Each structure stands twice: as structure tokens, then as C-alpha cells.
């Protein structure tokens, strides 16, 4: 049984609402990971440099029957964008522990132009086309960094 089916079958009957602790954990994970990557790219994060960044949060609900396909597509899309786009600073995708169909993506770009450029890349268009029917709902939120901090040289991990 794959990871998504295992989570879905265990949680399908009770489908709990996300707890405040669970949501706080996800937010802290995103902030910590973002900070780590930003520090490894720039060496330090000063208040002046964060104001120019373009930050977006995506809250996605994925069709449970297509979760594994979505996971593969987003892994490929993130890997490609980080590797080939200099304006992409951070892309993190996580799912809620008790509700794996609820995915959150934290994105940071050098500026708004880098974000617009990202939307026009062949790999992003491929991802969008492949996952369009997998996404049940989507909310995009623009954000402004307050403070970015992390320990240096912490590599992101994936499950």
C-alpha cells in the first residue's frame, strides 16, 4: 500500500478537522525550511533584502484518488524549478499529517518578475496541465516576510 492510500484509508472514516497544533506545525516547518534555504543562498537574511522578495502560499485540496500522481508531479516540478530558474529561491510542499489531501506550498522568488517568469516556463506549464484536474480547490495568498532566520547548512528532507 502506498503512503497516500495508507493515510487515506486510516483517516477516511473520521476525517478530522485540522488541529491548531497541526496547522502551527506546518507553518513552522515552512518558515524554518524557507529560512534555511534563504540563508544557504545569500549567507544572511537582512530586513532590507526580504522586502523585495515575492512570497506566495498555496493552499490546495487534492483529489484523494490522484494524490500519488500529484505528489510525483509536484516533486518533479519543484526539482526542475529550483535547478533551472535563478529567480526561484524556495519551493516547499507539505501535506497535513492527518489529512494528506490538504497540501500547502510555500514559494519565494527574488521578485514579482521572477514569479511571472516562473509561470511561463515549460516545466510549470507541464505541472499545471498535469495537475489541473487533480486539484479540487486552490487558494493563493500573497505574503510579506517579517523576519527570516535559520541555521545554515540544513538540507531539506522529503518522505
Amino acid at each position: 500500500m502506498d503512503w497516500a492510500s495508507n493515510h487515506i484509508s486510516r483517516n477516511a472514516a473520521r476525517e478530522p478537522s485540522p488541529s491548531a497544533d497541526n496547522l502551527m506545525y506546518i507553518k513552522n516547518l515552512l518558515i524554518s525550511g524557507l529560512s534555511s534555504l534563504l540563508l544557504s543562498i545569500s549567507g544572511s537574511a537582512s530586513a532590507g533584502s526580504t522586502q523585495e522578495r515575492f512570497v506566495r502560499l498555496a493552499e490546495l485540496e487534492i483529489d484523494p484518488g490522484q494524490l500519488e500522481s500529484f505528489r510525483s508531479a509536484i516533486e518533479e516540478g519543484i526539482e526542475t524549478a529550483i535547478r533551472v530558474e535563478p529567480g526561484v529561491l524556495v519551493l516547499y510542499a507539505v501535506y497535513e499529517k492527518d489529512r494528506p489531501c490538504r497540501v500547502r506550498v510555500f514559494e519565494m522568488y527574488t521578485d514579482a518578475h521572477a514569479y511571472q517568469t516562473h509561470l511561463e516556463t515549460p516545466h510549470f506549464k507541464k505541472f499545471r496541465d498535469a495537475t489541473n484536474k487533480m486539484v479540487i480547490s486552490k487558494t493563493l495568498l500573497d505574503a510579506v516576510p517579517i523576519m527570516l532566520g535559520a541555521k545554515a547548512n540544513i538540507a531539506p528532507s522529503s518522505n
Side-chain angles (χ1 to χ4, degrees):
M1 180 178 289
D2 65 318
W3 70 273
S5 298
N6 187 28
H7 284 288
I8 292 167
S9 64
R10 281 189 300 176
N11 295 312
R14 57 186 170 100
E15 197 62 20
S17 62
S19 69
D21 289 341
N22 207 14
L23 293 175
M24 185 59 75
Y25 172 76
I26 290 170
K27 288 177 184 177
N28 287 339
L29 179 65
L30 288 172
I31 291 168
S32 175
L34 158 71
S35 300
S36 296
L37 185 57
L38 188 58
L39 276 176
S40 69
I41 291 170
S42 66
S44 67
S46 65
S49 67
T50 62
Q51 296 305 313
E52 299 166 8
R53 305 291 187 224
F54 183 85
V55 177
R56 167 144 296 166
L57 303 168
E59 299 177 343
L60 309 172
E61 182 81 23
I62 308 304
D63 175 1
Q66 300 186 66
L67 195 52
E68 191 62 38
S69 295
F70 179 84
R71 182 177 173 168
S72 295
I74 201 164
E75 286 175 1
E76 178 184 337
I78 288 174
E79 187 280 323
T80 303
I82 293 294
R83 182 172 38 84
V84 305
E85 291 183 67
V88 176
L89 299 177
V90 175
L91 291 173
Y92 288 120
V94 298
Y95 63 87
E96 292 181 18
K97 185 176 181 179
D98 293 331
R99 297 180 70 190
C101 294
R102 293 181 57 137
V103 175
R104 303 296 180 258
V105 181
F106 184 95
E107 307 172 53
M108 184 184 292
Y109 303 86
T110 53
D111 54 29
H113 178 72
Y115 173 72
Q116 291 302 319
T117 300
H118 170 69
L119 297 179
E120 297 302 319
T121 61
H123 55 269
F124 178 78
K125 289 178 179 180
K126 176 184 174 185
F127 168 77
R128 185 183 56 214
D129 293 345
T131 61
N132 191 40
K133 292 185 179 175
M134 298 176 193
V135 177
I136 296 169
S137 69
K138 171 175 55 175
T139 302
L140 301 176
L141 306 167
D142 291 337
V144 177
I146 296 171
M147 174 64 186
L148 303 172
K151 295 182 180 195
N153 300 322
I154 298 175
S157 64
S158 64
N159 288 335

